[in-house]
């Protein structure tokens, strides 16, 4: 009854918000980096009027001042509501049950800073506790109900990222993130195989996953392979490449593929993220690329939100999410799924697809098209509160929280009596697999499954 | 009376010893600031006055008991906090001290499908609980508009109102029994009589009611045994539109007195509410200009009950000229009710400009007969404050059926106001407090109660508790003094400090 009410309310309001699901360009990007003027969509007070609140804050340094000015209005929207619909949906809070880690606290702290009650040091650790899943934003009634009218969305992910950027600027960044991003900077790819000792995952190995597949370099369309897929779960890019080939989609790989820069941006290393983005965009330009296939949801968010914010109009590439593309190929009969997969499966909505990008229909369409598969679905609204814990740098700083989030996700799957949990995000698959080992449920990527059903011998590996 | 000591390291050390877990005793500034505020309008300019000195996140009853004993020994204030969604500042510390945040006590301990009970920790949320219960075909039907954010401990702490109360009862009807840590640290079980799963007993005093809605002034709930009801097979919601308030008001009564057992609630929007929703709630269904009032009703139950009852509702709803709004709209709007409280994000200033606003909600229980007059007075008060101060906006009034199972007689009358919190200073805060007091006084003058569900713990209301309670205020003070000899449990609330000043009202 009441669950349904929430669903109905959400579904109903979604109908009115899909016209503009993404933030307007002026509010995207981590525009709180020093040296970049905070964007100006009117001073405080929604109408940008003469009654703006006085924000002269002599107690704040320049960096904090810019941060507070940028986020004052957003934070006030939450602070003056404070109803905490965002709490129970938050995967981190579900585990820690600590109000410091609630989305609403991330907004209240902005007011606390502004009033001189809190310093950046005081709140630094709190902002580590976020996977940037976006659950709080879609669940926030201020987004759901009035968002369309006032073009407002409670921005929590961006606040978290901006705060982390400020931590980096002030030298308060967390130790493990520091190491991770330093290594990424050196390797040009994330140290997904480990931060200790020699790194077997640098540029020299960036295309090793494609051994024997003879994929060309460059071309009109390229497939962007993110670091976890390139070095860790290589079955995912291998499955993707072979599906695309089988369906007759032409594509190549980059000349010199660096990390997309997304994880750095998520952890607050904005300058590094922009540098990596610049490199990749230049690489695409050099080989005449027009279209990028993002095989991983984090990359997709980064390419569709951060790159446009970094480069403005210069960024004129078409970005395609693999799930949408594969659903289309199946729908159009270009990819035939012939081999039955006799399993009982449920689907894990990856946060960045479902909560951040509203992609939830296509994966279900794909799963229903796989012969033999018994699909036990959990609706996407219920899954707003699900997560793997794998995003936003959480597994690097707080692996125990990530593991617990994944354990709980598998517990939910167990209740459905399934033997397979299917995800569509390679970053989720590592913690989910570890939890799946405990729960006796196998974790697969949806593309691996599609490839198998298309009769492809995928190769590669699913774990280290 | 307790004198607030700024807590020293010794207390923190001893708490750490009790909690015995890293991160379970918090002293950082952000931990304390984030447990001082609530959704209701907040005196931001005085934030620092409402900080706890230390926050603890216990997991067991034994830990809570030891914490309370320690607080007693040292005569330090102690404040329980569950979801922090209370609209009467109940969980806001007035004198620092130890804040007991119960969110980690969120286990489902037992689902008993034979006796239809579920036993949980006080830190669990109702929606989360109902997700656990779904496979079993039962629900725990305590359904406030804060269904997705309030927690069981806070529901007991406030003795809240469920929007489905007419059908299933409110928190006090749905909580069968619970475990309490008393202000001196002893652990007791309260319910009807002795049994944990007994719903009606004549043994002893009816202590459940005493410990229901005390706002953390008489102890801390550490476990609760709750009612399970069969998941409703079907529901029906109808909205009827009216050209004037009086006809809507009379129709409300007809529906409330229909005698239908499946009636889950009846609700009334006054003209100011309709205006406000039209103006500032884009999710509100656009209605013709002649609509001045709305009466809504919902039914829940099995098909064999609800389907014929639907015809009765349609007939009664239209009997005085109400016009039915249509199936789809009705169920959609009823469904959205939980989230409709989002509106506080925006209101208007005198010139009609959109400003971010905080939601203030008065929640009096008023005899049905008095409602028109109370509303008239309330809106006059609201108008006066809106004119005099820059920070207020009148968002109109709702009325809900108030009593469990017998939805006639008194109703929950709620006037909502917007407050421009960003502009709050001491001058406007004091104006807010006096606005509250005036509104509460009207409720009392008309034979009502100033709070149906949020509690009389806020400034503005708290001063009037002795007035509303009349002669029984003396009993209340005696109980408080007897159970909490050192006034450590959530001190400063509901004028209860008077219990310690010679036992007399000043
Ligand atoms: C959007 C919105 C809609 C709302 N709609 C409704 C509604 O329809 N009906 C309704 O009744 N209320 C409503 N409320 C108010 C609020 O949700 C309720 O008062 C709720 O019961 C508070 O629960 P909580 O868990 O947030 O408690 P808190 O705010 O944390 O605490 C409330 C009180 O209970 C005490 N307390 C907390 N835990 C314990 C414990 N373990 N033992 C003893 N005392 C304890 C606290 O000290 C405090 O005095 C609404 C609030 C919001 C924000
Ligand atoms: S983020 Fe949204 S749901 Fe959460 S407290 Fe703020 S306004 Fe309310
Ligand atoms: S983005 Fe996700 S993890 Fe971060 S605060 Fe919101 S709900 Fe929590």
């Amino acid at each position: 009854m009441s669950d349904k009410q929430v669903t109905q309310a959400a579904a109903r309001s979604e109908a009115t918000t899909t016209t503009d699901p993404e933030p307007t360009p002026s509010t995207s990007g981590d525009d709180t980096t020093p040296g970049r003027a905070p964007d100006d969509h009117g001073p405080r007070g929604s109408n940008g009027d003469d009654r703006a609140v006085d924000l002269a804050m002599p107690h704040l340094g320049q960096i904090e001042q810019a941060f507070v000015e940028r986020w004052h209005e957003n934070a006030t929207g939450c602070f003056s509501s404070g109803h905490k619909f965002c709490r129970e949906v938050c995967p981190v809070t579900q585990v820690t049950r600590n109000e410091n880690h609630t989305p609403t606290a991330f907004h209240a702290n902005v007011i606390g800073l502004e009033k001189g009650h809190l310093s950046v040091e005081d709140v630094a650790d709190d902002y580590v506790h976020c996977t940037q899943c976006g659950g709080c934003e879609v669940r926030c009634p201020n987004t759901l109900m009035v968002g369309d009218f006032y073009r407002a969305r409670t921005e929590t992910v961006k606040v978290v990222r901006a705060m982390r950027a400020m931590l980096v600027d002030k030298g308060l960044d967390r130790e493990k993130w520091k190491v991770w991003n330093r290594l990424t900077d050196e390797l040009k790819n994330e140290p997904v195989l480990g931060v200790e000792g020699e790194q077997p995952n640098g540029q020299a190995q960036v295309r090793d996953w494609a051994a024997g597949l003879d994929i060309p370099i460059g071309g009109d369309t390229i497939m962007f392979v993110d670091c976890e897929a390139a070095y860790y779960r290589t079955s995912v890019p291998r499955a993707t490449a072979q599906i695309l080939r089988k369906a007759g989609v032409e594509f190549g790989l980059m000349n010199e593929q660096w990390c997309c820069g997304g994880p750095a941006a998520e952890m607050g290393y904005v300058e590094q993220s922009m540098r990596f983005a610049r490199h990749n965009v230049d690489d695409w330009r050099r080989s005449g690329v027009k279209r990028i296939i993002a095989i991983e949801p984090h990359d997709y968010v980064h390419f569709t939100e951060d790159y446009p914010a970094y480069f403005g109009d210069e960024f004129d590439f078409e970005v395609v999410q693999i799930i949408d593309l594969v659903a289309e190929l199946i729908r159009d009969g270009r990819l035939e799924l012939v081999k039955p997969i006799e399993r009982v499966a449920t689907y894990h909505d990856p946060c960045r697809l479902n909560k951040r990008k509203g992609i939830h229909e296509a994966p279900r369409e794909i799963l229903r098209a796989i012969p033999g598969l018994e699909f036990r679905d959990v609706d996407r609204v219920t899954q707003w509160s699900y997560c793997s814990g794998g995003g936003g740098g959480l597994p690097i700083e707080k692996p125990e929280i990530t593991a617990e989030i994944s354990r709980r996700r598998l517990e939910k799957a167990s209740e459905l009596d399934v033997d397979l949990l299917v995800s569509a995000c390679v970053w989720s698959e590592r913690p989910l697999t570890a939890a799946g080992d405990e729960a006796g449920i196998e974790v697969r990527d949806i593309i691996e499954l599609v490839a198998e059903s298309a009769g492809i011998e995928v190769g590669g590996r699913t774990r280290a | 009376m307790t004198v607030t000591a700024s807590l020293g390291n010794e207390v923190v050390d001893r708490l750490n010893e009790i909690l015995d877990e890293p991160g379970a005793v918090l002293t950082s500034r952000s931990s304390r600031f984030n447990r001082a505020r609530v959704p209701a309008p907040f005196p931001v300019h005085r934030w620092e006055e409402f900080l706890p000195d230390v926050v603890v996140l216990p997991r067991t009853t034994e830990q809570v008991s030891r914490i309370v004993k320690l607080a007693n020994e040292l005569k330090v204030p102690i404040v329980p906090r569950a979801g922090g969604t209370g609209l009467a500042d109940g969980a806001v510390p007035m004198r620092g001290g130890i804040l007991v945040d119960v969110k980690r006590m969120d286990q489902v301990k037992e689902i008993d499908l034979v006796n239809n009970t579920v036993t949980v920790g006080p830190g669990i949320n109702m929606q989360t609980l109902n997700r656990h219960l779904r496979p079993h075909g039962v629900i725990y039907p305590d359904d406030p508009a804060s269904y997705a954010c309030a927690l069981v401990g806070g529901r007991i702490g406030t003795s809240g109102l469920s929007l489905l109360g007419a059908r299933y009862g409110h928190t006090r009807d749905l909580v069968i029994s619970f475990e309490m840590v008393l202000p001196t640290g002893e652990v007791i079980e309260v319910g009807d009589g002795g049994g944990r799963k007994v719903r009606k007993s004549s043994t002893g005093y009816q202590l459940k009611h005493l410990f229901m809605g005390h706002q953390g002034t008489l102890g801390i709930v550490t476990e609760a045994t709750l009612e399970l009801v069969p998941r409703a097979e079907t529901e029906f919601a109808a909205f009827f539109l009216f050209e004037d308030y009086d006809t809507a008001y009379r129709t409300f009564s007809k529906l409330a007195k229909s005698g239908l057992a499946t009636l889950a609630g009846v609700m009334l929007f006054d003209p100011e509410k309709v205006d406000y929703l039209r103006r500032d709630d884009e999710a509100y269904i656009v209605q013709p200009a002649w609509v001045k009032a709305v009466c809504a009703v919902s039914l829940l139950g099995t098909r064999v009950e609800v389907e014929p009852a639907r015809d009765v509702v349609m007939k009664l709803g239209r009997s005085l000229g109400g016009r039915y709004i249509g199936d789809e709209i009705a169920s959609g709007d009823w469904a959205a009710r939980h989230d409709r409280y989002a509106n506080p994000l925006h209101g208007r200033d005198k010139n009609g400009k959109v400003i971010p606003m905080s939601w203030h909600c008065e929640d009096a229980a008023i005899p049905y007969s008095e409602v028109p007059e109370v509303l008239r007075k309330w809106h006059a008060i609201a108008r006066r404050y809106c004119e005099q101060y820059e920070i207020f906006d009148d968002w109109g009034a709702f009325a809900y059926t108030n009593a469990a199972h017998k939805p006639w007689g008194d109703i929950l009358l709620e006037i909502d106001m917007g407050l421009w919190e960003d502009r709050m200073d001491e001058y406007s805060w004091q104006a807010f407090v006096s606005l509250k007091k005036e509104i509460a006084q009207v409720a009392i003058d008309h034979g009502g109660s100033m709070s149906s569900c949020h509690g009389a713990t806020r400034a503005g209301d708290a001063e009037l508790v002795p007035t509303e309670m009349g002669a029984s205020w003396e009993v209340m003070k005696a109980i408080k003094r007897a159970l909490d000899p050192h006034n450590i449990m959530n001190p400063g609330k509901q004028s209860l400090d008077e219990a310690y000043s010679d036992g007399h009202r000043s």
Side-chain angles (χ1 to χ4, degrees), chain A residues 77-78 81-86 103-104 107 136 139-142 154 156:
Chain A
C78 173
S81 304
H83 30 31
K84 308 183 177 83
F85 285 95
C86 49
T104 184
H107 297 295
C136 51
R139 187 60 190 80
C140 176
N142 295 350
T154 304
T156 309

Side-chain angles (χ1 to χ4, degrees), chain A residues 1 3 5 8 12 51 72 77 80 83-84 87 96-100 104 109 117 126 141 145 150, chain B residues 29-31 34-35 37 81 83-84 103-104 123 134 149 280 282-283 335 338 345 349 358 390 422:
Chain A
M1 168 209 57
D3 284 343
Q5 292 179 334
Q8 282 178 352
R12 186 163 153 274
R51 329 185 62 182
H72 172 84
S80 58
H83 30 31
K84 308 183 177 83
R87 186 202 324 111
T96 68
R97 305 302 286 164
N98 182 338
E99 210 161 328
N100 293 39
T104 184
N109 290 342
H117 295 313
D126 296 343
M145 288 300 176
Y150 295 105
Chain B
R29 288 179 71 78
S30 70
S31 305
N34 277 296
R35 288 175 182 78
R37 63 185 199 99
R81 181 174 176 95
K103 289 187 198 65
R104 286 191 174 167
R134 180 179 295 167
C149 46
D280 275 323
E282 73 90 24
H338 288 120
L345 182 60
D349 70 2
S358 192
E390 300 245 296
D422 213 14

Side-chain angles (χ1 to χ4, degrees), chain B residues 80 82-86 90-91 144-146 151 154-155 157-158 160-161 215 219-221 453-454:
Chain B
T85 71
S146 49
L151 307 180
R155 298 298 291 154
T158 56
L161 177 129
Q215 301 274 356
I220 303 180
V221 178
C453 52
H454 302 326

Side-chain angles (χ1 to χ4, degrees), chain A residues 156-441:
Chain A
T156 309
V157 171
K158 281 184 189 151
V159 171
V160 169
R161 289 170 48 151
M163 176 59 83
R164 291 178 180 183
M166 191 151 71
L167 298 184
V168 173
D169 290 337
K170 295 180 67 81
L172 292 167
D173 49 336
R174 308 288 98 174
E175 221 26 65
K176 289 179 191 144
W177 284 351
K178 212 183 279 185
V179 172
W180 184 274
N181 286 285
R182 180 175 49 71
L183 286 172
T184 304
D185 202 14
E186 285 165 25
L187 295 164
K188 307 306 175 208
N189 293 97
E190 289 186 279
V192 296
L193 297 180
V195 292
E196 309 287 338
E198 276 294 292
Q199 298 306 318
N201 50 324
Q203 282 289 296
Q205 296 91 1
V206 73
R207 283 197 285 266
D208 282 4
W209 63 268
L213 296 179
D214 283 331
I215 307 173
I217 302 295
D220 202 58
T221 299
I222 56 129
M223 171 172 140
F224 189 93
V225 182
D226 86 290
C227 308
E228 178 79 350
Y231 302 104
Y232 187 84
R233 195 169 181 119
T234 54
S235 55
V236 172
R238 288 187 70 87
T240 315
Q242 293 175 88
I243 285 172
L244 294 178
R245 180 166 291 168
K246 189 156 189 159
V249 178
E250 281 186 27
F251 67 95
L253 299 176
M254 283 175 68
N255 292 309
E256 194 184 315
Q257 176 175 322
W258 288 12
C259 172
C260 68
E266 289 187 343
M267 289 177 255
Y269 297 82
V270 184
E271 180 278 326
Q272 179 167 321
S273 167
M274 290 171 85
R275 213 157 18 82
F276 275 56
R278 179 83 262 167
H279 166 89
N280 286 332
V281 165
D282 289 348
D283 188 286
W284 299 340
R285 280 268 178 260
R286 262 202 306 282
S287 38
V289 172
K290 302 254 172 332
R291 196 162 82 121
I292 293 111
I293 300 174
I295 71 165
E296 197 279 331
H298 295 74
D299 298 352
Y300 182 66
V301 169
H302 201 48
F303 294 153
T304 54
E305 293 181 10
D306 297 311
Y307 277 38
Y310 295 161
F311 305 117
D313 289 345
E314 188 207 326
F315 189 82
D316 56 1
F317 302 92
E318 183 193 349
V319 182
V320 184
Q321 220 292 323
I322 189 69
I323 302 298
D324 284 334
L325 180 59
V326 169
E328 190 185 311
L329 295 174
I330 296 171
R331 208 180 304 132
D332 296 349
R334 292 169 66 188
L335 185 67
E336 281 188 54
L337 305 186
V338 286
K339 191 172 152 245
I341 296 182
E342 307 285 352
R343 303 287 295 271
V344 185
T346 190
Y347 173 65
H348 173 71
D349 269 305
C351 304
R352 276 150 186 82
L353 291 186
N354 179 29
K355 307 178 212 174
R356 301 273 302 270
K357 287 300 189 184
I359 299 175
H360 44 75
E361 234 353 271
R364 289 174 167 78
E365 190 184 332
I366 294 172
L367 288 173
R368 293 201 175 94
I370 296 177
L373 192 73
E374 186 183 331
F375 175 35
R376 298 193 179 157
D377 197 13
V378 173
D379 69 88
R380 70 173 200 323
V381 174
T382 303
Q383 295 214 37
W384 284 352
S385 61
Y386 293 7
C387 183
S388 70
L394 191 74
I396 303 168
E397 265 298 324
K398 308 271 172 186
E400 67 291 352
I401 299 178
T402 297
E404 178 60 16
I405 294 173
S406 266
R407 191 193 66 73
R408 291 175 183 219
R409 177 64 189 90
L410 265 296
E411 199 173 76
K412 304 248 168 51
S414 300
E415 287 165 11
L416 301 168
D417 273 331
V418 296
D419 55 28
L420 186 63
L421 175 69
V422 184
S423 181
C425 162
V426 73
W427 282 97
S428 74
E429 285 153 20
R430 197 192 302 205
L432 288 176
T433 300
D437 290 347
E438 294 291 309
I441 293 179

